[in-house]
Amino acid sequence: MTIRVAAVGDIHLSEHARGTYRARLNGIEERADVLLVAGDLTRHGTVEEGQVIADEFRGLAIPVVFVLGNHDYHSDAEQEIMAMLRATGHFVLDDSAEVLLGGRLGVAGGKGFGGGFAGKCANEFGEPETKAFVRHTREIADRWRIALKGLDTQHRIVLSHYAPVKDTLAGEPPEIYPFLGSYLLAEAADAVGADLIIHGHAHAGTEKGATPGGIRVRNVALPVLGRSYATYGL
């Protein structure tokens, strides 16, 4: 049986947008079995904006899985935002995994981070600040690999905010690619295997791409989709 996956990212809701996005989700249970939200839920990552997100997605008839994005970290309230979402019954990945739909679907991932892509990327070399930047992404990718390995499910999806491939960044200035994602994230997925990778972050990017290992990658940033959410079949 096909699993129908709805996905969107970069909705950037603020207190002034309360009530505006929920209407766009009406009837989603007729079109999808699960909703994945790929970060940048808020504009500035405040607790108040986090409450808006919790309220907008409260009580949906299908499971909702979130990751946070860079905007959601801006006010240093990311832990409070994650707690709010979990308190309303939603799943939040933080370099972790969840099993859904009676064991048929496993979703692993988290925010991700930058660093660039093979041949044009930063290396864990030189100044402490540069090494720390790349090490952060490498450690995230290592945790994703472990989380994916722990999923004994029919299908596996990786949910991220940052991009794992440069295919879906086409349209963004190449100079900022290192700040939009990292090839290390794709390597983690290819090493273990997954059916699909969902990400956001690149507002001017392209929807469709693939990892070197052939995993489908979809950029579901709202400005890219031009619709409330996309749906994909597994």
Side-chain angles (χ1 to χ4, degrees):
M1 181 183 294
T2 300
I3 295 175
R4 303 167 302 167
V5 178
V8 68
D10 302 83
I11 56 177
H12 290 290
L13 297 185
S14 67
E15 294 175 80
H16 301 295
R18 181 179 291 277
T20 60
Y21 195 76
R22 180 50 180 260
R24 303 171 74 172
L25 299 175
N26 288 341
I28 192 172
E29 68 277 5
E30 299 172 6
R31 296 178 285 274
D33 302 302
V34 62
L35 173 60
L36 308 183
V37 189
D40 275 7
L41 317 173
T42 66
R43 291 178 62 85
H44 300 103
T46 64
V47 170
E48 292 77 14
E49 289 176 343
Q51 188 61 59
V52 171
I53 297 296
D55 293 341
E56 292 292 286
F57 289 84
R58 187 189 306 272
L60 283 184
I62 60 174
V64 184
V65 185
F66 294 94
V67 297
L68 301 192
N70 55 305
H71 278 248
D72 308 317
Y73 276 70
H74 182 67
S75 297
D76 300 322
E78 64 274 7
Q79 295 301 323
E80 291 93 330
I81 292 173
M82 286 191 280
M84 285 179 186
L85 295 174
R86 288 173 176 142
T88 53
H90 303 312
F91 300 97
V92 185
L93 302 182
D94 187 17
D95 303 337
S96 56
E98 294 287 350
V99 176
L100 308 169
L101 306 180
R104 296 168 58 212
L105 177 65
V107 185
K111 175 178 62 66
F113 203 56
F117 301 90
K120 296 181 180 179
C121 59
N123 295 309
E124 205 169 326
F125 179 86
E127 298 95 324
E129 293 81 3
T130 301
K131 288 188 283 190
F133 183 84
V134 179
R135 184 183 308 119
H136 183 58
T137 307
R138 177 177 55 77
E139 290 173 347
I140 286 171
D142 288 343
R143 290 193 289 269
W144 288 14
R145 190 178 291 108
I146 293 168
L148 274 170
K149 283 183 179 178
L151 289 173
D152 183 17
T153 53
Q154 182 181 356
H155 294 286
R156 292 187 289 199
I157 295 177
V158 176
L159 178 61
S160 174
H161 181 60
Y162 284 77
V165 296
K166 62 182 180 181
D167 299 7
T168 50
L169 303 183
E172 294 280 5
E175 293 84 357
I176 67 170
Y177 278 21
F179 306 102
L180 296 178
S182 169
Y183 77 98
L184 295 173
L185 307 177
E187 279 194 350
D190 279 339
V192 182
D195 299 276
L196 178 66
I197 303 176
I198 296 291
H199 77 87
H201 196 35
H203 291 200
T206 301
E207 182 180 357
K208 297 181 179 181
T211 68
I215 300 172
R216 290 182 296 161
V217 179
R218 298 294 182 262
N219 175 3
V220 299
L222 189 59
V224 171
L225 295 180
R227 55 196 189 277
S228 302
Y229 52 85
T231 54
Y232 308 105
L234 299 180

